[in-house]
Amino acid sequence: MIYVLECPPAGTARAWFAYDAEDLVERVADRRGLAAWEVWDRRSPRELLAMCGEQPEAPGVAQRLPALCALGAEHGWDTPLHRADALLGRGVMTAAAVDTLEACAATLDAGGSPAVIWPDDTSAILAFEDDTLALWQGAGWRARHALREQLVATEALADA
């Protein structure tokens, strides 16, 4: 499981989980009113062209879809390109790998609710148990409690 702790500047901290990276992208998109591919996506220019019902060899495709053909010419038709609007800018695609968790955290942050994401049970539990973590200082006890409640709800942590 992936654990998320949102800490809005004015409001109550919320902890929630996702089953995997794909589920996380979908949940973040839903929370922000975005399409999942705006949060994070990875597709080759060939796949993008196919989504439009075209292929690179089709006559006149460069005139009908010049931007997609430019991506194919620049990066190669089968190179995976990543999109993460909150990190790269709206609609920008790059051949450099973009981490799904970073894209999701940036999307939540951009929506005004800074977030911490732990990729698994172990890292979330270790963070919860770390008394020196700056996140837990001062009023951070509420955030820590929210994470604890989520860990107990998912049975990653025993309720004692």
Side-chain angles (χ1 to χ4, degrees), residues 96-150:
V98 175
D99 182 73
T100 310
L101 300 180
E102 288 177 23
C104 289
T107 301
L108 292 169
D109 289 352
S113 187
V116 180
I117 299 177
W118 293 280
D120 52 44
D121 294 350
T122 302
S123 60
I125 292 168
L126 288 173
F128 168 73
E129 292 176 344
D130 185 355
D131 292 333
T132 65
L133 194 64
L135 182 61
W136 308 143
Q137 305 310 309
W141 68 268
R142 289 183 179 93
R144 190 176 192 181
H145 181 72
L147 177 60
R148 180 191 179 283
E149 292 299 310
Q150 187 61 67

Side-chain angles (χ1 to χ4, degrees), residues 56-72:
E57 305 80 24
V61 70
Q63 287 73 39
R64 290 188 301 278
L65 299 166
L68 290 180
C69 289
L71 283 173

Side-chain angles (χ1 to χ4, degrees), residues 26-93:
E26 290 174 9
R27 289 176 188 234
V28 168
D30 187 53
R31 286 178 179 274
R32 292 294 176 256
L34 301 169
W37 45 265
E38 292 174 290
V39 175
W40 183 89
D41 197 19
R42 180 181 60 212
R43 304 204 188 258
S44 71
R46 185 181 307 278
E47 290 172 310
L48 293 169
L49 211 54
M51 291 170 71
C52 297
E54 295 280 2
Q55 52 189 342
E57 305 80 24
V61 70
Q63 287 73 39
R64 290 188 301 278
L65 299 166
L68 290 180
C69 289
L71 283 173
E74 180 180 350
H75 299 286
W77 288 105
D78 297 310
T79 301
L81 301 177
H82 294 84
R83 177 176 175 169
D85 288 3
L87 290 173
L88 304 172
R90 186 158 177 76
V92 175
M93 300 193 81

